[in-house]
């Protein structure tokens, strides 16, 4: 059973930066490897739809939501089994609970398809004030 634990959320002013981390464990017994999974960051703000923010596939191909492109960067450290989301130039509209997720046997075309993912973290809150 793969487990994901997010950290790094917090409260910042507009224009500030945060880096979210998602530490993965349990891959040894899963039969899959962290390096070959697709991974994604999603977010949900109160009263809004759950949305894909950034995704990375097994070949390190990346995808970003239009609203964060150029400001957010997704990356992964396979040696540490950790996924990151570096967020710069934060805006109040980035305020949300952020979740990481991992998908075995995924397609790069499905990076923002919620049902493609097998495991989810509990989330970390990001609050951006004006």
């Amino acid at each position: 059973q793969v487990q994901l634990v997010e950290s790094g959320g917090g409260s910042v002013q507009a224009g500030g930066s945060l880096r979210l981390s998602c530490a993965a464990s349990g891959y040894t017994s899963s039969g899959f490897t962290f390096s070959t999974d697709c991974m994604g960051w999603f977010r949900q703000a109160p009263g809004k739809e759950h949305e894909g923010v950034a995704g990375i596939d097994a070949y390190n191909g990346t995808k970003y939501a239009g609203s964060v492109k150029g400001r957010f960067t997704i990356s992964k450290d396979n040696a540490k089994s950790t996924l990151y989301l570096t967020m710069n130039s934060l805006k109040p509209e980035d305020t949300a609970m952020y979740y990481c997720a991992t998908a075995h046997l995924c397609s790069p075309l499905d990076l923002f398809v919620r049902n493609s993912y097998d495991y989810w973290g509990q989330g970390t809150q990001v609050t951006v004030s004006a």
Side-chain angles (χ1 to χ4, degrees):
Q1 180 89 359
V2 173
Q3 293 185 322
L4 303 174
V5 179
E6 301 98 333
S7 62
S11 297
V12 296
Q13 290 190 325
S17 299
L18 284 172
R19 188 176 81 157
L20 306 184
S21 298
C22 172
S25 61
Y27 271 92
T28 303
S29 59
S30 73
F32 296 93
T33 60
F34 178 86
S35 62
T36 58
D37 271 6
C38 289
M39 299 200 74
W41 286 99
F42 292 76
R43 67 185 180 187
Q44 187 166 27
K48 294 190 176 180
E49 295 280 326
H50 194 266
E51 65 171 338
V53 176
I56 185 166
D57 64 30
Y59 307 100
N60 286 327
T62 57
K63 180 178 180 177
Y64 296 93
S67 60
V68 308
K69 203 166 187 178
R71 300 188 297 123
F72 290 12
T73 303
I74 188 171
S75 60
K76 56 192 294 194
D77 185 331
N78 291 330
K80 296 182 178 179
S81 295
T82 301
L83 177 73
Y84 301 101
L85 183 68
T86 302
M87 306 185 295
N88 296 319
S89 302
L90 282 162
K91 303 177 181 180
E93 51 263 44
D94 294 318
T95 295
M97 184 71 79
Y98 284 71
Y99 302 89
C100 66
T102 185
H104 305 320
L105 304 175
C106 66
S107 165
L109 297 176
D110 296 334
L111 286 176
F112 281 2
V113 178
R114 187 177 176 181
N115 290 340
S116 297
Y117 288 86
D118 303 296
Y119 300 98
W120 292 81
Q122 293 299 307
T124 185
Q125 178 68 38
V126 172
T127 303
V128 185
S129 57

